[in-house]
Amino acid sequence: MSHTPAAITAASIPDFYRQLHQQLEAVLAGESDWICNLAQTAALIMELMPGLNWAGFYLLRHDTLVLGPFQGRVACTRIALDRGVCGAAASRRASLVVPDVHSFPGHIACDPRSRSEIVVPVIHHGRLLGVLDLDSPLPARFTDEDARGLEGVVTRLLEASDVSHPPA
Ligand code: SME
């Protein structure tokens, strides 16, 4: 798949997720360490998905989301559950697709280049562990299909990883 934003078409989305899932299997094979798998997943998404400027995880520490493994520019380190797109997706325990971050009340602008965002909660057997967050400099980069595709990524990541003793 091309890395140019022009390559993003509705028709190519299912193919993209098929490839992403295939490569994710290869990356996760034989490894169950949670932090290692989070780091590899963020790197894989950043490498394969066109039109991103940031991809990574925030992990729940007590009642705050703390920056975890990511790819992109340095970012905000701590996000309260009532702040930003990340906090909203974590509190609602539902994926959030934000076509225009400037019209999302409370959006936290870690990088002024970001125009759209998608956040998928990471929930293991009912326990919120954090969120997967992707940012794009393109308006309306993400769709509900991306939410479903990335939820599949998170499900596979959780299945492959030992999250029984994540750092508190
Ligand atoms: N924009 C996010 C903050 C995290 S950064 O995008 C990496 C938010 O509003 O929660």
Side-chain angles (χ1 to χ4, degrees), residues 89-154:
S91 308
R92 296 178 205 177
R93 291 173 166 249
S95 298
L96 266 182
V97 177
V98 178
D100 172 12
V101 293
H102 299 302
S103 60
F104 188 91
H107 165 253
I108 303 165
C110 293
D111 182 343
R113 294 175 306 166
S114 298
R115 298 283 307 279
S116 58
E117 180 161 358
I118 186 168
V119 180
V120 174
V122 178
I123 297 169
H124 184 249
H125 296 315
R127 179 181 175 195
L128 179 70
L129 298 182
V131 296
L132 168 62
D133 179 22
L134 308 187
D135 290 333
S136 173
L138 305 170
R141 164 63 184 82
F142 307 104
T143 65
D144 286 346
E145 249 182 304
D146 290 300
R148 302 296 87 80
L150 293 167
E151 285 162 5
V153 165
V154 166

Side-chain angles (χ1 to χ4, degrees), residues 54 58 75-76 79 83-87 106-110 117 133 135:
W54 202 90
Y58 281 86
C76 326
I79 300 176
R83 296 282 323 280
V85 184
C86 290
H107 165 253
I108 303 165
C110 293
E117 180 161 358
D133 179 22
D135 290 333

